[in-house]
């Protein structure tokens, strides 16, 4: 009877001894509690946990990639969009991640969702589409500050998609088309203004030398003659035209 009891006791003691030996990987830490009170953080490698008296909670220190579900966001200019993002974070203080919050993954996920809606709701749609890097930094900063008490380090936040309905996509396309048309008209008007300025400068220079006007006239005749056309041009000296104009002006004044 005593031999049977001793065999059972020995087996039980052997199981307790074996259960006291733990091996933690390089990216794992063990949060040790002694009689319910926090003792210390152990690992990595081979550690000993006293059975019954001590309990261990494993904590993974690797970077966690968390996908934030699509959130309905109303922008500052009253446009409804669906936005989802991805958050990269890791545990830097295992004891805080276990003691200060019940489930650090779920807590970080819920906080990321509310922060995403809050930050994006303060910006207009154009800012969401054009200033995504700035919004990522704003969300990451807010999350990192609030999760610091939980021993969590938020390394990065990336907005993945900003989904718009079909009517808003068509409105944006019309706006882009109108903007391109406006730029084309402005460029054309600027070209006309620059051309008129150059023509004015050329006319001023030619007016200072009447012979230059005749040379320009002869060059124009040369260009016309080089074309395959049936146009007949009768050269008329500029001096004769000037005398005729001056004579008409004299008769009109008399």
């Amino acid at each position: 009877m005593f031999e049977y009891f001793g065999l059972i006791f020995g087996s039980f003691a052997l199981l307790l001894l074996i259960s006291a030996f733990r091996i933690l990987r390089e990216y794992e830490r063990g949060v040790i509690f002694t009689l319910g009170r926090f003792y210390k953080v152990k690992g990595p490698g081979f550690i000993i946990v006293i059975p019954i008296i001590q309990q261990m909670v494993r904590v993974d220190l690797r970077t966690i990639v968390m996908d934030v579900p699509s959130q309905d966001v109303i922008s500052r200019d009253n446009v409804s969009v669906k936005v989802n993002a991805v958050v990269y974070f890791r545990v830097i203080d295992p004891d805080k991640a276990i003691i200060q919050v019940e489930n650090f993954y779920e807590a970080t996920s819920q906080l990321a969702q509310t922060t995403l809606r809050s930050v994006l709701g303060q910006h207009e749609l154009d800012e969401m589409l054009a200033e995504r890097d700035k919004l990522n930094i704003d969300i990451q900063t807010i999350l990192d500050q609030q999760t610091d008490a939980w021993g969590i380090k938020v390394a990065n936040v990336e907005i993945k998609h900003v989904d718009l309905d079909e009517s808003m996509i068509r409105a944006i396309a019309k706006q882009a088309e109108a903007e391109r048309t406006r730029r084309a008209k402005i460029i054309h008007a600027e070209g006309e203004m620059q051309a008129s300025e150059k023509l004015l400068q050329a006319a001023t220079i030619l007016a200072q030398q009447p012979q230059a006007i005749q040379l320009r006239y002869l060059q124009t005749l040369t260009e016309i003659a080089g074309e395959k056309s049936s146009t007949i041009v009768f050269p008329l000296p500029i001096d004769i035209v000037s005398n005729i104009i001056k004579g008409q002006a004299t008769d009109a004044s008399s």
Side-chain angles (χ1 to χ4, degrees):
M1 181 65 181
F2 289 101
E3 294 179 356
Y4 182 72
F5 180 76
L7 181 61
I8 294 177
F9 181 78
S11 300
F12 180 72
L14 181 61
L15 290 176
L16 288 179
L17 183 61
I18 294 175
S19 64
F21 301 145
R22 305 291 179 86
I23 296 178
L24 298 177
R25 298 180 180 89
E26 182 65 31
Y27 55 84
E28 291 179 329
R29 297 295 183 272
V31 182
I32 308 300
F33 294 90
T34 301
L35 297 178
R37 298 179 64 87
F38 171 71
Y39 173 56
K40 65 188 302 185
V41 177
K42 291 185 177 182
F46 177 79
I47 65 172
I48 297 177
V49 179
I50 302 175
I52 301 176
I53 297 178
Q54 292 182 334
Q55 296 82 35
M56 184 189 72
V57 179
R58 291 177 182 264
V59 180
D60 195 324
L61 301 185
R62 291 177 294 181
T63 299
I64 299 174
V65 182
M66 181 180 64
D67 185 42
V68 181
S70 296
Q71 303 295 310
D72 292 325
V73 178
I74 299 178
S75 64
R76 193 170 63 182
D77 51 350
N78 296 324
V79 178
S80 179
V81 296
K82 287 184 176 293
V83 183
N84 68 329
V86 60
V87 179
Y88 299 85
F89 69 96
R90 60 188 295 265
V91 177
I92 57 176
D93 289 327
D95 53 335
K96 291 183 179 180
I98 298 300
I99 298 173
Q100 300 298 330
V101 63
E102 180 181 2
N103 186 330
F104 67 85
Y105 184 89
E106 182 65 22
T108 304
S109 176
Q110 295 297 325
L111 183 61
Q113 295 178 37
T114 56
T115 304
L116 183 66
R117 292 194 298 267
S118 175
V119 172
L120 296 185
Q122 301 174 8
H123 296 79
E124 297 182 356
L125 178 61
D126 292 341
E127 295 176 346
M128 294 185 193
L129 300 176
E131 301 181 2
R132 187 170 297 186
D133 292 338
K134 179 178 179 298
L135 296 178
N136 291 337
I137 295 175
D138 292 342
I139 298 172
Q140 183 265 333
T141 302
I142 295 174
L143 284 177
D144 191 39
Q145 291 176 351
Q146 297 190 17
T147 58
D148 183 66
W150 304 338
I152 305 296
K153 173 64 178 178
V154 178
N156 193 16
V157 176
E158 292 290 339
I159 297 175
K160 294 171 61 178
H161 300 292
V162 179
D163 296 329
L164 305 172
D165 55 17
E166 294 296 331
S167 60
M168 184 55 61
I169 293 176
R170 290 194 295 270
I172 293 176
K174 291 181 180 179
Q175 180 183 3
E177 183 178 359
E179 179 65 20
R180 289 193 297 268
T181 302
R182 183 184 70 87
R183 291 179 181 178
K185 291 182 178 179
I186 291 175
I187 293 173
H188 180 72
E190 290 178 350
E192 292 291 337
M193 183 178 65
Q194 293 176 3
S196 62
E197 292 176 353
K198 295 299 181 181
L199 289 174
L200 177 60
Q201 295 176 4
T204 302
I205 295 173
L206 291 174
Q208 296 175 357
Q209 296 292 335
Q211 294 81 3
I213 298 178
Q214 295 181 5
L215 293 175
R216 182 59 182 165
Y217 179 66
L218 295 175
Q219 183 180 358
T220 303
L221 293 179
T222 303
E223 293 176 356
I224 294 175
E227 298 291 336
K228 295 181 179 180
S229 62
S230 58
T231 304
I232 299 175
V233 179
F234 295 96
L236 184 64
I238 300 299
D239 296 339
I240 298 177
V241 176
S242 300
N243 294 330
I244 294 175
I245 294 174
K246 288 180 181 180
Q248 292 179 351
T250 304
D251 294 339
S253 61
S254 60

